[in-house]
């Protein structure tokens, strides 16, 4: 189709999770509670770390930033999804859809990079304990966090620019509860072969490379703990178990979704819920229930609030 010879789509229709009214009400209640738990859990971690001087190590500084990213990630998707569950017509403006794509990939990629930095922090603490303070200074931590946000922005802006330059002139129905690149670009009125591979190499390779770096770091940590066992090393390694659980549930769906041609393997909306809805809820659980220092600090905070 020649440029300019089409009527541009101004809004998209989201089909949501179900068209059955009783299920929509059930989903509304469940996801409203889930979103509230995400906000409360991650805010509790942030307040606890910020108010307890004992939680001043780089690990807790990075954990505090992870909680902030999880709040942002969940807030990009969940509020609109919850409102749409009780709406008769689930529409989103073209600009709103593009904004959702941008912010989802912005915070999503930033979280990938931050999880990689957290794995590096654990590797340094266990494998190079004598140099840990010098390597992971507060200045270095701030620089790494800023680099994570900058990397997320660059990743997202590439996706956004590739999406908005596509012509949308025909179907405008998205079989999901949110706007994402694999779903949106399939509605474009043009050949997508080159665009699909560019986007897959962007999101898919970032997800895969970050995951491989994480796996490699944990292999080094395991080797160090086995060869040089001490109580301190084992305690540090035990904190990695929850981290492994979180990253597996976060990265596996992302790799499966983005590291493949979008047209031949459509995105599954139920599969996407793992990293858009449940992963932000998982992090506060695994980093508090399995962390004695966090539980003690939270109990102290609770007692101070009661006074």
């Amino acid at each position: 189709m020649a440029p300019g010879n089409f009527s541009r789509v101004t809004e998209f229709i989201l089909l949501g999770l179900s068209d059955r009214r009783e299920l929509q009400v059930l989903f509304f209640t469940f996801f409203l509670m889930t979103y509230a738990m995400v906000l409360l859990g991650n805010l509790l971690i942030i307040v606890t770390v910020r108010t307890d001087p004992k939680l001043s190590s780089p690990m807790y500084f990075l954990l505090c930033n992870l909680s902030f990213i999880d709040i942002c990630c969940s807030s990009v998707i969940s509020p609109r999804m919850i409102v749409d569950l009780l709406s008769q017509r689930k529409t989103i403006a073209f600009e709103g859809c593009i904004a959702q794509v941008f912010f989802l990939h912005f915070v999503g990629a930033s979280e990938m990079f931050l999880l990689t930095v957290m794995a590096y922090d654990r590797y340094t603490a266990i494998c190079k304990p004598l140099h840990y303070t010098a390597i992971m200074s507060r200045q270095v931590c701030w620089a790494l966090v800023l680099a994570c946000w900058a990397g997320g922005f660059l990743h997202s802006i590439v996706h956004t620019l590739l999406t908005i330059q596509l012509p949308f002139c025909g179907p405008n129905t998205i079989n999901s509860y949110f706007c994402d690149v694999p779903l949106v670009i399939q509605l474009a009125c043009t050949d997508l072969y080159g665009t699909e591979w560019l986007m897959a190499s962007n999101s898919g390779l970032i997800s895969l490379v970050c995951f491989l770096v994480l796996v490699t770091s944990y292999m080094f940590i395991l080797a160090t703990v086995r060869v040089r066992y001490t109580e301190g090393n084992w305690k540090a390694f035990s904190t990695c178990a929850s981290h492994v659980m979180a990253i597996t549930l976060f990265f596996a769906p992302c790799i499966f979704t983005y590291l493949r041609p979008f047209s031949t393997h459509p995105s599954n909306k139920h599969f996407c819920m793992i990293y858009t809805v449940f992963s932000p809820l998982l992090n506060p659980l695994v980093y508090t229930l399995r962390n004695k220092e966090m539980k003690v600090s939270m109990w102290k905070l609770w007692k101070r609030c009661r006074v």
Side-chain angles (χ1 to χ4, degrees), residues 16-17 47 49 91 99 111 129 145 149 158 172 217 232 236 245 273 283:
L17 295 173
V47 172
V49 173
T91 60
E111 180 163 357
V145 169
W149 284 104
V158 170
N172 66 336
S217 67
M245 182 190 308
M273 292 181 63
N283 287 333

Side-chain angles (χ1 to χ4, degrees), residues 184-248:
V184 174
I185 68 171
Q186 295 305 310
L187 303 178
C189 308
T190 187
D191 178 52
L192 298 170
Y193 181 80
T195 304
E196 282 186 341
W197 281 107
L198 282 174
M199 291 184 170
S201 62
N202 187 6
S203 287
L205 283 180
I206 286 177
S207 304
L208 181 61
V209 170
C210 288
F211 184 70
L212 292 178
V213 171
L214 285 162
V215 171
T216 302
S217 67
Y218 287 122
M219 290 175 62
F220 278 112
I221 291 173
L222 180 59
T224 300
V225 171
R226 291 183 62 184
V227 172
R228 194 174 61 208
Y229 174 82
T230 64
E231 183 179 354
N233 273 353
W234 184 253
K235 179 182 177 182
F237 176 72
S238 66
T239 65
C240 297
S242 56
H243 195 184
V244 171
M245 182 190 308
I247 65 169
T248 301

